[in-house]
Amino acid sequence: MNDDTTTMAGLPKVLIVDDKPANLRVLQELLRDFEVEVVEATSGEETLSLVMRHQFAVILLDVKMPGMSGIETANLMLGNEDTMQTPVIFITGYDMDELDQIEGYSAGAVDYIIKPIIPQILLGKVRVFLQLYQQAEELKNNNELLEWLNNDRQQQYVQTRRLLNMNPDGILVVNPDNNILYANTAAAVLFNDENEQLEGTVFGFPTNDGQSKEISIGDHIVEMSVTSLVWNGEDVFLVTLHDITTMKQTELRLLQLARYDQLTGLANRRYCLEFIAMALIRAKRRDGYIAVMFLDLDKFKEINDTLGHEAGDEVLITVAERLNNSVREGDLVSRFGGDEFLVVLDDISDPKDTDVIAEKVLKAMAPPHSLSGKEIVVNCSIGIATSPLSGTEPDALIKVADEHMYKIKSKGGNSSSTNLF
């Protein structure tokens, strides 16, 4: 990868994804002779964010990563029309059987590379997709604007206006005083105005040659880029306004899918573990405490067996609401799996405060649930672990909290147990 960013403009982009820095360095070294911009990602979530912002000639995606796997990532890309055509080559450290390969190809993979990587194989496959990308880009190039430069200035001016008016992006021509000389139809839609009414008004954002930034226009999130040019004999700025509102909404939806449980809306297991890790770092920096409460619903299986899974889902949704209402704003409630929930108490001043919160949770769980015309009480067993007393790693805290929870459950449930006594 060339460090001179000025030479990167217009180069095809290749995304390499691996959670291990050493593997990323190997891929960087193998790709250095290609005239490409190599972009790195270390997780599935980061990959999804990047593919929504950039167009890649090919993605080299590690199959096995902590958190979101390569196949999960590719499946989410395949479900989005903006990313489904991006070619993905999976890199895997084991020989995949036929079913594994079918799953990968179903997720949108175009090929596989087995570790340890044979340079000639990787370079050959990447070269093919770079050639296909460059051919596609050549087909997209529109030379009409260059042709107008050879015409009479006035004819060029008229034709350029017509061409810009056909552009789906908002286009403004702004003079050095930020007065709008021209606005195409797409720009008028963004500003909820008419073209002619925009022309002559002042553009409300500073303009500098080469500028690129995100701005808000009404309810729209817009990527603004500015370049200087000569317009009808006058030095002006061409402002391109690319509406990325839908992209941002899609990116948020993908993040929701990656981090939150779809039934309850609570944080999922993966996001919960990330949150605990960050909370531990903050607690160490402040010389403070965090706590993990492990909750398991008492006799929940009986509800599923007697009233059905739909009733069980109603209980889980209500429990999620009650838990959210029982903790502080900065704490995290997670559905850890099945009828198990984790509450992460971030930045507590005294570990003994966890007993107060546990009692609050037990009280919130006490009211009965109306299920199939019956009033059913669903209690829970709570195990509590605090850091640093029970450990300084997420898994250690969860293990201790889980053990305390089972002690309570073995005694009949509907109570809490902590590591403090």
Side-chain angles (χ1 to χ4, degrees), residues 230-241:
V230 176
W231 173 267
N232 200 27
E234 182 180 354
D235 291 330
V236 297
F237 295 111
L238 182 71
V239 180
T240 303
L241 303 171

Side-chain angles (χ1 to χ4, degrees), residues 239-272:
V239 180
T240 303
L241 303 171
H242 179 53
D243 192 345
I244 58 173
T245 308
T246 301
M247 183 197 77
K248 287 287 189 180
Q249 292 169 344
T250 302
E251 187 176 329
L252 181 60
R253 284 196 296 271
L254 290 174
L255 185 62
Q256 290 284 335
L257 289 172
R259 286 188 165 187
Y260 294 94
D261 176 58
Q262 298 306 295
L263 175 66
T264 63
L266 297 178
N268 62 18
R269 185 188 193 99
R270 180 186 301 120
Y271 184 36
C272 181

Side-chain angles (χ1 to χ4, degrees), residues 369-393:
H369 299 256
S370 296
L371 301 172
S372 302
K374 301 178 180 179
E375 296 292 307
I376 297 176
V377 175
V378 181
N379 295 317
C380 69
S381 301
I382 305 175
I384 306 171
T386 58
S387 176
L389 181 59
S390 297
T392 56
E393 296 294 332

